[in-house]
Amino acid sequence: MDPVIIAGPCAAESKEQLFTTASQLRQQFSESEIKLSFFRVGVWKARSNPNAFKGLGEIALPWLKEISEEFDLPVCVEIAKPEHVDVCLKYGINSVWIGSRTVVNPFDVQELADALSGTDMTVMVKNPIVPDLHLWAGGIERVMKAGISKIYAIHRGFAELKENVLRNKPLWEIPIELKVKYPEIPIICDPSHIAGNTQYIPTIAQIALDYGFNGLMIETHCCPNQALSDAEQQITPEQLYNMLHYLIFKSHNHSPDEELLRKQRNLIHDIDSQIAELLVKRMLVVDEIAAIKTLYNIPIIQSNQWNKVVKRYQDNSLPDEHYASFIEKFLELLHQQSILRQQKIKEI
Ligand code: PEP
Ligand code: MN
């Protein structure tokens, strides 16, 4: 699968802004081996502040239809209400995304899914602004249940209360978990909304590509400093071209059976079998310990004993803070599981 590249302004501001941006994109990418897949633009903007620019609404739709025909590029817009689906269909706009503020509300998503049902639209589901994998997955499932087959997930980061260098926290473990749950759904990263500035877009985009994301959605504007929304994070079509040609795209066509990889995978497979067996063995010994504790009336919690276990893992660790914190979490779970087993046996 070729990378899915989605580019275009945050919001539709005028016919001229849309056409200038689209024609600059065409100019930049006409001979590029990287192809644009969609022109993106918000016509109905969900703004926190009621006085902020809300987008032009329906009047921009005929211009977008023209753009998609003239530049031979599908256009996608954000939908938040069922009537938006009807307006898109009226103007032949067949690709839409559900925004991060909408995905937090299952009622809204269901209404959109009902409106989309029976159409042949491409539907992209952004992650909800809150870090809740189930809400995101639920949004995708509602769209799937509506019979939509062309679905993309878009990772745009998660809102954070405290100010940070990034506008939204990436929390990569969430989109990775989504990808594991739905391997067939392409996942696109939106580094523009994660970064909130132009400086960090390339780094975030590269991390996403390294993970194996299937594409990027990048806010692109002919004159970013005049943009009526998200001015700090929009780049020009020329900057987009330069960035995409500098990023390293991973190949999704390699066979996972390549010799070197296969050998290591076999090793991992054996190690995992041993870990699984050892964990079961460990639990069975825990059961025996529980019986002995019952027999001699010894309390379940034995802090000194447990601290010795922790120390053994710490003495046999890797000099790496991520590994240390993984072991800490793992041991916490192991201890909980062990206590739970001992309680269960005592109750019998
Ligand atoms: C957008 O893509 O323009 C947008 C509003 O994004 P999000 O819903 O991710 O904030
Ligand atoms: Mn935006």
Side-chain angles (χ1 to χ4, degrees):
M1 174 184 180
D2 284 337
V4 178
I5 306 294
I6 308 170
C10 178
E13 298 166 1
S14 68
K15 184 171 183 184
E16 193 196 349
Q17 169 243 11
L18 292 173
F19 274 80
T20 311
T21 306
S23 69
Q24 287 179 358
L25 281 170
R26 177 168 63 185
Q27 217 177 325
Q28 289 293 336
F29 285 87
S30 59
E31 284 170 21
S32 158
E33 72 278 15
I34 298 175
K35 301 281 172 237
L36 298 182
S37 314
F38 295 92
F39 182 80
R40 62 140 284 151
V41 64
V43 296
W44 298 284
K45 300 297 297 176
R47 304 307 300 276
S48 310
N49 182 336
N51 302 318
F53 176 63
K54 290 193 272 297
L56 296 177
E58 183 167 348
I59 107 176
L61 271 289
W63 307 332
L64 294 175
K65 181 178 163 61
E66 255 184 74
I67 283 179
S68 96
E69 285 163 1
E70 185 174 333
F71 299 97
D72 192 21
L73 189 59
V75 169
C76 59
V77 302
E78 176 171 344
I79 51 161
K81 305 232 154 258
E83 4 356 329
H84 297 162
V85 176
D86 301 333
V87 176
C88 286
L89 287 172
K90 177 168 153 195
Y91 295 100
I93 301 297
N94 289 318
S95 307
V96 295
W97 79 83
I98 306 179
S100 57
R101 287 161 191 79
T102 307
V103 180
V104 288
N105 186 338
F107 289 117
D108 289 342
V109 178
Q110 190 56 53
E111 283 188 10
L112 289 176
D114 293 342
L116 288 161
S117 174
T119 72
D120 185 30
M121 286 186 146
T122 297
V123 180
M124 306 175 190
V125 182
K126 283 202 164 197
N127 69 255
I129 48 175
V130 292
D132 184 337
L133 173 66
H134 302 293
L135 265 182
W136 195 4
I140 289 173
E141 300 229 354
R142 284 172 202 274
V143 174
M144 276 178 176
K145 278 179 92 172
I148 299 294
S149 58
K150 288 167 282 176
I151 303 179
Y152 295 78
I154 302 188
H155 168 230
R156 50 78 76 205
F158 302 89
E160 240 192 325
L161 281 181
K162 64 176 179 0
E163 286 275 313
N164 213 322
V165 278
L166 300 179
R167 178 176 174 189
N168 288 294
K169 229 183 160 130
L171 300 179
W172 295 102
E173 61 277 17
I174 296 181
I176 289 168
E177 204 45 41
L178 190 88
K179 188 68 192 161
V180 171
K181 213 168 147 74
Y182 303 102
E184 305 310 324
I185 295 190
I187 182 152
I188 314 289
C189 181
D190 169 353
S192 309
H193 287 90
I194 293 175
N197 58 58
T198 56
Q199 189 188 347
Y200 290 104
I201 292 176
T203 312
I204 294 159
Q206 189 62 64
I207 295 173
L209 296 176
D210 288 350
Y211 277 133
F213 275 56
N214 304 93
L216 300 168
M217 174 188 258
I218 315 254
E219 285 193 336
T220 313
H221 192 293
C222 54
C223 323
N225 51 11
Q226 289 167 27
L228 300 181
S229 59
D230 289 352
E232 330 64 52
Q233 71 193 36
Q234 303 208 56
I235 59 175
T236 63
E238 185 185 1
Q239 287 169 324
L240 178 72
Y241 177 91
N242 291 337
M243 180 183 80
L244 292 179
H245 286 80
Y246 156 89
L247 291 174
I248 299 163
F249 284 82
K250 302 285 160 177
S251 161
H252 285 266
N253 306 324
H254 284 195
S255 144
D257 298 330
E258 281 176 44
E259 191 55 25
L260 261 178
L261 203 52
R262 199 171 52 224
K263 266 198 197 143
Q264 301 305 320
R265 289 228 166 109
N266 287 341
L267 270 180
I268 285 279
H269 177 81
D270 289 346
I271 294 171
D272 282 336
S273 305
Q274 289 176 40
I275 294 176
E277 252 173 58
L278 285 174
L279 278 176
V280 170
K281 241 188 206 168
R282 195 185 193 287
M283 291 307 155
L284 298 180
V285 175
V286 167
D287 293 350
E288 285 166 13
I289 289 179
I292 297 168
K293 283 182 183 168
T294 311
L295 190 63
Y296 291 103
N297 229 3
I298 301 170
I300 294 177
I301 310 286
Q302 295 289 325
S303 307
N304 291 341
Q305 171 59 23
W306 181 250
N307 287 335
K308 279 188 215 156
V309 174
V310 172
K311 178 143 190 342
R312 202 159 300 131
Y313 278 87
Q314 285 168 343
D315 289 347
N316 198 351
S317 185
L318 289 175
D320 163 343
E321 63 180 277
H322 292 303
Y323 186 76
S325 103
F326 154 68
I327 284 297
E328 198 180 313
K329 285 185 205 141
F330 167 72
L331 288 176
E332 235 174 73
L333 286 174
L334 188 66
H335 198 202
Q336 278 167 15
Q337 179 62 24
S338 160
I339 290 168
L340 213 77
R341 290 193 75 80
Q342 299 184 51
Q343 276 171 339
K344 205 164 117 208
I345 286 174
K346 283 195 166 213
E347 276 162 15
I348 292 167

